[in-house]
Amino acid sequence: MVEGEGERGHYRYGSRERSGVVLSIIVPTYNESENIPHLLRSIRDGLEAKLQRIDSSAEVIIVDDGSPDGTAEVAERHSNMAERLRIRVLRRHSRRDLLSAVLDGLNTAEGSNIVVMDADLSHPPSLIPTMLDELMHDRCDLVIASRYVDGGSVAEWSIRRKALSISANMLARTILNLKVKDAVSGFFACRRWVLEGVNFTTSGYKILLELLVKADNIRVKEIPYTFVNRSHGKSKFSARVAIDYMRAVWMLYRYGRKRRVERRGSVLFLSRAARFYTVGASGLAVNYGVASIANLLLSNMHIATLAGILCSITSNFILNKLWTFEDTDLAILHVLRQYAYYVGLSSVGGVLQFTLTHLLSSIYGMQYNIALILAIGVASMWNFLSNKKWTFREKVWG
Ligand code: GDD
Ligand code: MN
């Protein structure tokens, strides 16, 4: 089961997974009435024995966009075709894009695994049991039926369509830095949570592409197949699809870049914090060292203590400026202003620690040592964040 609900734009998913349903095959259709009977029969023939063996059932979800050729009616006529294979038809009233068809199918799917495929028999249904095996034996989370691994191919495509597909694939793989060979396959199988975990924002044909970019920590496997041209009906591939595709690649590229920057932001924050507290620890040593030496030389305890404090604040400031926050602006007025800020804010930290310790131990009756630890924690957090923001003029986060 998936925890909670996923949200994707206007789609909201409550998982309808049902035990005993091992697989949902989602097939978007538009004017595929001639292909549907053949498709459903081959799915059944390929899957029946396996379902019997594992004592489970599966479903095919036809997501039809009001095809005028009666695709939905043809599919409904086959709904009692097999005992373990349920055929469901999801009718949408007007033509919308392919991605939203798949997501609407997913929304009503009950299987713990999902297959996405075309209706026109370009994607051989005989491959489905193999794909399911890969998932059930936990060899991966996503299986891509691939034209571009050894053993895979495309039959009977025109040179033009071949070139288009190969360059579309290459473009995506380089720009988006993908490892898989066929990133634009329309035929794949995955665990249900893989699809449910992605917030899809592109439209059109590029479901797999967006999945590969956004779910980047899943285990992916490619198995070869031969894409055969449809023998009935017309391809819906068009210039519009190609333009949508370019836009999707561009959007996903920007998405990846933004995420890399954000990631760097958190790394930056943590490395700044680590340096800041290392400097703080070095300050303790400076404080102690200077005070004891000064006491030896001057034999005046109070002046020695003061010297220790002043030296450690100053050395902390210098190290934090040059090392922690990598600020190399040495203009004298600028440095003096920063120093004043640093001393001021750190003093506020000292007062904060003092007050908090008093408050927690005397007024709320907390044990002194625990109160002290809490107060030191709060004060040093204050010191880091306030100096990051006001002394060194950085964003608090990042
Ligand atoms: N519901 C719905 N709505 N289904 C649609 C729509 C739509 O607007 N447009 C197309 N489909 C269905 C078709 O009926 C078919 O089942 C499937 O989506 C793929 O459409 P095709 O028109 O056959 O696509 P293609 O053969 O040109 O492209 C295929 O190969 C590409 C690889 O080069 C698809 O599998 C692509 O996803 C794939 O990238
Ligand atoms: Mn096709």
Side-chain angles (χ1 to χ4, degrees):
M1 260 317 256
V2 167
E3 265 179 36
E5 291 191 330
E7 215 182 302
R8 32 185 89 86
H10 53 288
Y11 297 92
R12 231 193 127 66
Y13 285 83
S15 193
R16 288 183 200 232
E17 182 172 350
R18 212 155 55 99
S19 66
V21 185
V22 71
L23 182 66
S24 299
I25 302 165
I26 301 176
V27 187
T29 57
Y30 190 75
N31 286 347
E32 303 286 2
S33 61
E34 286 175 293
N35 291 313
I36 285 290
H38 190 175
L39 175 81
L40 294 177
R41 254 180 266 123
S42 351
I43 292 178
R44 178 197 60 195
D45 294 348
L47 213 51
E48 217 170 25
K50 178 165 181 66
L51 291 173
Q52 198 96 41
R53 214 165 41 243
I54 60 175
D55 190 23
S56 284
S57 67
E59 60 182 3
V60 178
I61 302 176
I62 304 285
V63 188
D64 187 64
D65 282 0
S67 301
D69 78 341
T71 303
E73 290 76 14
V74 173
E76 269 158 4
R77 249 179 271 137
H78 287 76
S79 54
N80 294 320
M81 196 176 61
E83 203 188 316
R84 291 180 181 271
L85 187 68
R86 212 172 140 208
I87 314 292
R88 296 163 65 195
V89 181
L90 188 68
R91 290 165 178 261
R92 308 200 305 171
H93 292 298
S94 59
R95 181 127 188 234
R96 309 215 327 255
D97 73 297
L98 212 55
L99 175 63
S100 75
V102 173
L103 293 180
D104 281 348
L106 177 67
N107 200 17
T108 66
E110 295 180 342
S112 44
N113 297 289
I114 307 286
V115 162
V116 174
M117 70 188 299
D118 294 352
D120 59 2
L121 296 157
S122 291
H123 300 154
S126 56
L127 212 60
I128 297 174
T130 317
M131 295 167 104
L132 183 58
D133 265 347
E134 295 289 336
L135 296 174
M136 288 182 71
H137 291 124
D138 200 26
R139 293 193 203 109
C140 56
D141 307 311
L142 169 67
V143 191
I144 302 173
S146 172
R147 293 161 292 179
Y148 302 127
V149 290
D150 273 350
S153 64
V154 177
E156 334 151 36
W157 257 6
S158 68
I159 303 262
R160 188 177 144 270
R161 180 77 208 256
K162 246 185 206 159
L164 211 61
S165 169
I166 289 175
S167 41
N169 187 40
M170 252 169 37
L171 183 80
R173 290 178 61 226
T174 20
I175 291 187
L176 303 173
N177 193 20
L178 298 172
K179 309 267 170 323
V180 301
K181 294 275 192 292
D182 192 347
V184 293
S185 175
F187 188 16
F188 60 89
C190 64
R191 293 167 191 291
R192 175 191 191 94
W193 56 258
V194 169
L195 273 169
E196 285 184 328
V198 172
N199 181 11
F200 287 94
T201 51
T202 60
S203 64
Y205 276 41
K206 285 350 327 146
I207 308 152
L208 181 64
L209 204 59
E210 190 161 2
L211 192 66
L212 288 169
V213 170
K214 295 190 171 174
D216 58 356
N217 52 356
I218 55 172
R219 295 167 302 159
V220 182
K221 193 163 171 178
E222 284 182 276
I223 57 175
Y225 84 104
T226 300
F227 184 103
V228 283
N229 247 343
R230 57 163 73 233
S231 32
H232 299 286
K234 274 211 308 263
S235 166
K236 283 90 201 169
F237 190 87
S238 62
R240 162 91 199 279
V241 170
I243 291 168
D244 271 359
Y245 176 77
M246 305 289 274
R247 280 184 33 207
V249 172
W250 175 238
M251 207 218 76
L252 291 172
Y253 170 71
R254 286 203 352 237
Y255 169 90
R257 219 176 45 176
K258 205 163 113 219
R259 201 163 56 159
R260 277 195 296 281
V261 171
E262 272 164 22
R263 232 184 244 156
R264 239 189 275 140
S266 61
V267 170
L268 198 67
F269 180 87
L270 291 177
S271 77
R272 292 266 196 269
R275 288 178 182 197
F276 188 85
Y277 292 118
T278 309
V279 169
S282 83
L284 294 179
V286 171
N287 199 338
Y288 178 81
V290 169
S292 10
I293 293 170
N295 191 32
L296 270 180
L297 295 177
L298 307 170
S299 11
N300 182 324
M301 214 175 72
H302 297 300
I303 293 184
T305 307
L306 204 63
I309 292 176
L310 282 178
C311 284
S312 66
I313 288 184
T314 307
S315 72
N316 278 4
F317 169 72
I318 294 171
L319 287 173
N320 277 327
K321 178 174 169 66
L322 298 178
W323 184 54
T324 308
F325 294 101
E326 295 163 298
D327 174 1
T328 47
D329 184 351
L330 297 176
I332 195 92
L333 275 175
H334 173 68
V335 176
L336 284 177
R337 220 200 76 241
Q338 281 186 319
Y339 187 64
Y341 263 95
Y342 187 81
V343 173
L345 290 169
S346 307
S347 310
V348 173
V351 174
L352 198 67
Q353 181 188 330
F354 190 87
T355 323
L356 212 60
T357 316
H358 173 71
L359 225 86
L360 291 175
S361 63
S362 308
I363 301 190
Y364 291 107
M366 197 178 271
Q367 208 189 327
Y368 176 73
N369 293 30
I370 296 179
L372 190 64
I373 289 175
L374 281 177
I376 289 179
V378 172
S380 48
M381 215 129 76
W382 158 265
N383 282 349
F384 172 58
L385 296 176
S386 67
N387 279 303
K388 189 175 189 331
K389 182 164 170 55
W390 290 304
T391 309
F392 299 104
R393 306 271 160 192
E394 276 193 6
K395 279 188 301 192
V396 171
W397 178 251

